[in-house]
Amino acid sequence: MDLFGDLPDPSDGCQKQSTPSVNRNGNEGQGDASAPAPTQPLAASAEKRKSESQGPQDEEPVRKEARTDNSPNAHNSLLRLSSYVADRKGEREEMQDAHLQIDDYSSMFQDLHPSIGRLALYAVFDGHGGSRASRFASQYLHKILRDKFPKGDVGTVEKEIKKCLIDVFKKLDEDFLREAARQKPSWKDGTTAVVVLVVNNTLFIANLGDSKSILCRYKAEEGGCVAVPLTTDHSPSVYTERMRIQKAGGYVREGRVMGILEVSRSLGDGPYKNHGVTCLPDVKRCQLTSNDRYIMMACDGLWKSFSMEDSLHYVNTILKDQSIHGTDRRSAEEVRFDTATSRLANTAVLRLSGDNVTVLTVAINPPQV
């Protein structure tokens, strides 16, 4: 049984088969995606790949190498990652977002197989009804994942990681609901979640609710960078979500569960768990290539103000700004990514998003020579 049969088509760069930075910045989600089938004859496609094999648009050899070379020497081909985050309270009285930003997740493990050269972990949690669920998730998700992480080589990890992530979300939900029930009065908080786990050069994305993650990928045939969606929104208005809610005895009114909750999947939200709201995440996989520029993760406070394409255009304009220089401690690229992340969050607030805004970007750079 293919645990990842619901993943984006390989022609979109998100592989159904793959294998196989580590600098910790400590801070304390089954979807559908498809791409059109290639229209070129096979011979023409092969000739095109051959002609481009030395150029920056040569994606296929990169993907193939990352899929098949599990030896420790393959660690020399690991793309370098560095993350940046900006969070703004906006017009809300309370900051209910939280995030997790661990460039060097590997350092939290003692017995990783040599074929696993890098683990990184990033997450954005958009709380509602309070900040306790989002804070709880940011404090414990990485610890639960570490304890449940599959043993063995990278091939074994890939086969078991979807079940692992689902188990992690279930455990996190159970633990929070248990803690919430102990309180007087009991906590009613809930949170969305978008989580990106990087294993070598492969992304595993798990999400609940309406927080999104996208990948900025350069495509020569498109004439520039495009947004590759990595997540699927969970709205009560979606037919399959609404049917599950109704079968569980709940209902959807005005696009909300029981006329109140805006998302159909979440962590926490104890009062709605018996009405079809589930903590079962969508899990997808995407293979990084040399054409990838960065990952963007954000709560819906950003997406109320920006489309995916607009957000990339905004960030890319700043990344190209030669007037932004480096410092003694940070390169020009680092300063530009930090600036772009901060300005994007600021602009979402200025556009009257009316919500908390959290943006986390992960820069992708060539392997260290």
Side-chain angles (χ1 to χ4, degrees):
M1 177 180 177
D2 181 8
L3 288 178
F4 292 86
D6 55 350
L7 300 184
D9 186 87
S11 63
D12 198 29
C14 297
Q15 300 297 314
K16 293 186 179 181
Q17 295 184 13
S18 63
T19 58
S21 324
V22 182
N23 167 30
R24 181 168 184 190
N25 301 321
N27 277 341
E28 311 236 35
Q30 303 162 241
D32 290 328
S34 60
T39 56
Q40 291 180 311
L42 291 178
S45 297
E47 185 63 30
K48 179 180 179 181
R49 288 196 300 272
K50 181 178 179 181
S51 66
E52 295 180 345
S53 61
Q54 302 302 317
Q57 292 79 41
D58 184 23
E59 294 181 321
E60 185 60 28
V62 175
R63 294 200 299 266
K64 183 176 181 181
E65 179 183 3
R67 280 200 308 271
T68 58
D69 190 351
N70 298 339
S71 66
N73 292 333
H75 299 171
N76 296 329
S77 67
L78 293 180
L79 297 165
R80 292 179 293 123
L81 307 178
S82 55
S83 59
Y84 310 82
V85 69
D87 52 4
R88 305 289 185 265
K89 187 173 70 170
E91 298 179 8
R92 294 291 179 92
E93 294 183 359
E94 179 186 15
M95 183 60 178
Q96 298 181 351
D97 291 353
H99 64 274
L100 193 58
Q101 180 187 11
I102 310 178
D103 290 333
D104 184 9
Y105 191 38
S106 307
S107 64
M108 297 183 65
F109 293 76
Q110 297 181 348
D111 55 353
L112 284 176
H113 191 274
S115 62
I116 302 174
R118 181 257 306 287
L119 294 178
L121 183 65
Y122 309 100
V124 171
F125 306 100
D126 182 2
H128 46 263
S131 61
R132 288 164 292 210
S134 60
R135 302 299 176 197
F136 188 93
S138 69
Q139 291 169 11
Y140 293 103
L141 182 139
H142 59 296
K143 298 175 183 178
I144 297 173
L145 177 56
R146 178 195 60 197
D147 294 343
K148 290 183 175 291
F149 197 80
K151 305 295 183 182
D153 64 14
V154 70
T156 301
V157 170
E158 289 194 338
K159 291 176 182 178
E160 299 181 9
I161 197 64
K162 182 173 184 177
K163 181 180 183 301
C164 171
L165 288 169
I166 289 172
D167 289 345
V168 168
F169 273 63
K170 288 180 178 178
K171 171 69 171 171
L172 190 59
D173 189 58
E174 291 170 359
D175 288 354
F176 176 75
L177 291 177
R178 186 180 302 111
E179 183 65 24
R182 292 189 182 125
Q183 309 303 315
K184 301 297 180 184
S186 61
W187 295 341
K188 304 295 193 290
D189 308 45
T191 184
T192 70
V194 54
V195 177
V196 174
L197 170 67
V198 189
V199 182
N200 289 353
N201 282 330
T202 306
L203 308 180
F204 296 95
I205 310 100
N207 82 287
L208 297 169
D210 54 9
S211 295
K212 291 183 177 66
S213 180
I214 60 177
L215 175 67
C216 177
R217 170 167 289 168
Y218 177 80
K219 286 193 174 183
E221 61 272 23
E222 301 280 348
C225 291
V226 299
V228 179
L230 299 178
T231 52
T232 302
D233 282 359
H234 300 130
S235 167
S237 300
V238 174
Y239 176 78
T240 53
E241 299 291 289
R242 187 171 70 251
M243 289 300 100
R244 187 188 69 250
I245 291 164
Q246 291 177 354
K247 287 180 180 178
Y251 61 86
V252 176
R253 184 176 66 214
E254 297 179 352
R256 296 170 179 250
V257 180
M258 313 302 289
I260 300 174
L261 189 62
E262 289 187 82
V263 294
S264 55
R265 303 191 194 191
S266 65
L267 295 168
D269 287 318
Y272 302 95
K273 281 296 193 280
N274 291 329
H275 299 296
V277 174
T278 179
C279 66
L280 181 68
D282 274 326
V283 181
K284 297 183 180 181
R285 173 173 56 192
C286 186
Q287 187 69 35
L288 291 177
T289 78
S290 60
N291 289 329
D292 296 327
R293 300 298 183 254
Y294 55 87
I295 303 160
M296 183 188 297
M297 307 166 64
C299 64
D300 71 329
L302 174 70
W303 309 116
K304 289 175 181 177
S305 300
F306 284 88
S307 68
M308 292 187 293
E309 293 75 15
D310 288 344
S311 66
L312 291 196
H313 177 73
Y314 187 98
V315 169
N316 290 342
T317 299
I318 297 174
L319 295 181
K320 295 174 184 176
D321 188 349
Q322 298 300 312
S323 68
I324 300 176
H325 304 291
T327 66
D328 291 341
R329 296 186 178 183
R330 307 178 76 190
S331 69
E333 181 183 80
E334 291 173 325
V335 174
R336 289 168 189 158
F337 263 106
D338 196 22
T339 301
T341 304
S342 295
R343 288 184 183 176
L344 184 62
N346 290 340
T347 303
V349 173
L350 293 174
R351 289 184 179 184
L352 303 180
S353 167
D355 201 352
N356 300 150
V357 177
T358 297
V359 181
L360 196 160
T361 55
V362 183
I364 303 169
N365 286 296
Q368 189 75 49
V369 177

